[in-house]
Amino acid sequence: MSKQPPSEYQRPSLQKGGLQLSGEALIELMLAVHAKGLPFRFSAAGHSMAPFIRDRDVITVSPLASRKPGRGDVVAFIHPETKMLGIHRLLAFKGTRFLIQGDNMPETPDGMIRREAVLGRVTRVERGSQRVRFGLGPERRLIALLSHRGW
């Protein structure tokens, strides 16, 4: 009986000097780094948080520690249906569930996400050699309010 090699989705690969991981492997690595109390940096993929976070921006996700995420925070989470890693903004909360949605996805919230599915908070965004500051400061609450109202 021959053993099948892992699919391209599962196999880490080196591209342009970096390690490219599948969503599942990326989540596992982030959890392992966070277990040591350290922040995790990686290159973002996609456009759901544009213009704040763009495709290939480098983001830093810090562990939550004892502080729960608040309205407007950009969080890393495991999507309940796809089981994939998502990076979206927390719009509202009800008990231990959070309403999360991408800034560039006004019609499609991720729904109410359990607190346990939230892996960390985005604490830094870098585009090229520049740090992106807008979206993580006090304005994050206004962005969340406007997004929650569909603006």
Side-chain angles (χ1 to χ4, degrees):
M1 179 186 278
S2 69
K3 200 172 186 184
Q4 292 286 331
S7 71
E8 193 62 39
Y9 175 78
Q10 297 170 330
R11 186 179 335 138
S13 64
L14 283 174
Q15 289 187 351
K16 294 184 183 177
L19 181 65
Q20 187 169 359
L21 301 172
S22 69
E24 192 175 293
L26 187 65
I27 291 168
E28 288 179 32
L29 185 56
M30 183 185 298
L31 288 172
V33 171
H34 282 180
K36 296 190 177 289
L38 299 171
F40 184 75
R41 293 180 72 219
F42 65 100
S43 182
H47 303 280
S48 65
M49 285 298 293
F52 170 56
I53 299 174
R54 297 181 186 162
D55 192 47
R56 297 191 203 128
D57 282 353
V58 175
I59 61 175
T60 301
V61 177
S62 296
L64 294 175
S66 61
R67 181 177 165 248
K68 76 175 189 173
R71 181 175 289 123
D73 285 343
V74 177
V75 296
F77 67 100
I78 301 172
H79 194 282
E81 293 173 14
T82 65
K83 306 300 184 217
M84 298 297 293
L85 178 67
I87 306 290
H88 288 163
R89 192 173 304 277
L90 192 155
L91 303 184
F93 48 90
K94 184 174 185 175
T96 60
R97 293 187 178 266
F98 306 123
L99 177 62
I100 298 175
Q101 178 176 313
D103 288 355
N104 197 26
M105 303 179 70
E107 305 297 320
T108 53
D110 298 296
M112 297 302 286
I113 308 296
R114 292 185 350 255
R115 162 64 180 87
E116 299 80 39
V118 176
L119 306 178
R121 178 183 305 101
V122 174
T123 54
R124 186 177 180 103
V125 178
E126 299 165 60
R127 185 168 302 131
S129 61
Q130 300 293 316
R131 183 172 179 183
V132 177
R133 296 185 189 279
F134 183 78
L136 292 180
E139 71 283 351
R140 72 186 187 281
R141 291 183 185 92
L142 178 60
I143 295 169
L145 176 67
L146 294 174
S147 291
H148 195 193
R149 293 193 175 170
W151 297 349

